Amino acid sequence: MTLKTIKNVDEETWYRFKTLAVKNKLVMGKLLEKMIISYESESNKFWKEVLEGDKILSDKEAKDLSEDLEKLRKEHGFRL
């Protein structure tokens, strides 16, 4: 077994992490592994939903907004 260090973990967070490991009857390394797997799957699920979900705007509305923004950016004072 090798020893690893996690920097900038305050005492309260470390205590909560240790408590979670005990409650789940896991060693801290296995709990961290489960937490990372869970985080990655939730993150992937979120982005899949955002990128592949239903459109909020129709293609025509998106094009119109793009054109309006382009006109606004050309106005004096928008960019210095």
Side-chain angles (χ1 to χ4, degrees):
M1 177 172 93
T2 59
L3 178 66
K4 302 291 182 185
T5 304
I6 303 174
K7 294 182 180 180
N8 300 322
V9 179
D10 60 63
E11 290 297 321
E12 181 185 349
T13 303
W14 187 251
Y15 176 77
R16 289 170 54 201
F17 183 56
K18 285 172 48 175
T19 304
L20 276 173
V22 170
K23 283 182 183 177
N24 289 292
K25 298 178 182 169
L26 294 170
V27 293
M28 292 171 67
K30 288 294 179 187
L31 177 61
L32 182 60
E33 182 181 337
K34 283 182 108 176
M35 291 168 79
I36 290 170
I37 290 169
S38 173
Y39 177 83
E40 286 176 337
S41 71
E42 290 296 318
S43 181
N44 289 338
K45 180 181 166 186
F46 169 78
W47 283 111
K48 184 175 182 177
E49 192 175 303
V50 168
L51 297 173
E52 298 175 9
D54 295 336
K55 291 183 180 180
I56 297 172
L57 300 173
S58 69
D59 289 338
K60 183 183 180 325
E61 290 172 324
K63 183 180 176 191
D64 290 344
L65 280 173
S66 258
E67 290 170 358
D68 290 343
L69 283 173
E70 193 172 317
K71 289 176 189 174
L72 282 173
R73 288 181 177 172
K74 290 181 181 177
E75 288 184 10
H76 178 71
F78 185 80
R79 293 185 180 191
L80 301 175

